Amino acid sequence: MLSSRKRQSSDDRLDAVFQALSDRTRRALLARLARRPARITALAKPFAMSLPAVSRHVRVLERAGLVARAVDGRVHQCSLTAEPLATAEAWLHYYRPFWAGRLEALARFAETTEADVSR
Amino acid sequence: MLSSRKRQSSDDRLDAVFQALSDRTRRALLARLARRPARITALAKPFAMSLPAVSRHVRVLERAGLVARAVDGRVHQCSLTAEPLATAEAWLHYYRPFWAGRLEALARFAETTEADVSR
């Protein structure tokens, strides 16, 4: 791979972000960091997971640009950097008409059926 | 794993959808199917990829509920079923304030700086 992290293509970024989000533990870690920054040790606690296992998940989130880590001696403080999610949302936004249309049609169908029944 | 595909939890669904979206070829296949349904052979053409390789990607998309396949003899017709993307968008929506706020603050900062310069 020639591309450095600084020169990621939009495809690289989307691959990394969606990959990072494809694991429920990593999504739970983001939810935790959305409340406030935390140390790796504090992050590991509610997950009944070893410190190295949580560290691996945090590294995946870091590579996707979703977590920033500030190192002070042995203390690693993690915080949420949510901006890359904007790219993911923009990607999904393009497909909105495809599912929104279908869901609205279903809702209209349900309403009409209900109206028919109540007549 | 006890959970059947019919009784997927919301976490299972999000894992599968984000996993499906984490590959640029699979995203390109969805973009192609958003134009209109297509056979596997037609899908394979622009990707310089073997039929089995494309088939594997399509299966990942099927498992995530993003593609439906209608089989008529040897012809496999694929179409986009975008509804599971709604779940992904809903998940991302929760984090919007975290990145939207930061990006807006950056934009305001850029505007003020520009105003200062032009004075």
Side-chain angles (χ1 to χ4, degrees), chain A residues 8-18 21 64-66 81-95, chain B residues 18 21 27 89 92 95-96 99-100 103:
Chain A
Q8 277 189 326
S9 73
S10 152
D11 270 335
D12 290 336
R13 247 175 295 150
L14 282 172
D15 282 2
V17 168
F18 284 131
L21 299 182
L66 294 168
T81 48
E83 289 81 356
L85 297 178
T87 322
E89 207 196 36
W91 187 91
L92 282 166
H93 192 75
Y94 172 82
Y95 291 89
Chain B
F18 284 133
L21 299 182
R27 291 196 303 274
E89 209 196 34
L92 283 166
Y95 291 89
R96 193 169 231 283
W99 55 262
L103 294 181

Side-chain angles (χ1 to χ4, degrees), chain B residues 101-117:
Chain B
R102 190 93 75 104
L103 294 181
E104 272 156 29
L106 276 173
R108 270 199 306 277
F109 174 75
E111 269 167 32
T112 350
T113 317
E114 224 166 80
D116 281 347
V117 168

Side-chain angles (χ1 to χ4, degrees), chain A residues 9 11-12 14-15 18-19 21-24 27 30-31 34 80-83 85-86 88-89 91-96 98-99 102-103, chain B residues 9 11-12 14-15 18-19 21-24 27 30-31 34 80-83 85-86 88-89 91-96 98-99 102-103:
Chain A
S9 73
D11 270 335
D12 290 336
L14 282 172
D15 282 2
F18 284 131
Q19 180 59 42
L21 299 182
S22 72
D23 182 285
R24 65 197 69 188
R27 292 195 302 275
L30 292 178
L80 177 70
T81 48
E83 289 81 356
L85 297 178
E89 207 196 36
W91 187 91
L92 282 166
H93 192 75
Y94 172 82
Y95 291 89
R96 193 167 230 284
F98 295 96
W99 56 263
R102 191 93 75 103
L103 295 182
Chain B
S9 74
D11 270 336
D12 289 336
L14 282 171
D15 282 3
F18 284 133
Q19 179 59 44
L21 299 182
S22 72
D23 181 285
R24 64 197 70 188
R27 291 196 303 274
L30 291 178
L80 177 71
T81 49
E83 288 81 356
L85 297 178
E89 209 196 34
W91 187 89
L92 283 166
H93 192 75
Y94 172 82
Y95 291 89
R96 193 169 231 283
F98 295 95
W99 55 262
R102 190 93 75 104
L103 294 181

Side-chain angles (χ1 to χ4, degrees), chain B residues 30-52:
Chain B
L30 291 178
R32 168 68 188 76
L33 289 174
R35 295 211 303 277
R36 61 176 163 277
R39 300 176 180 189
I40 297 267
T41 43
L43 283 178
K45 240 174 221 168
F47 290 103
M49 216 184 252
S50 72
L51 221 52

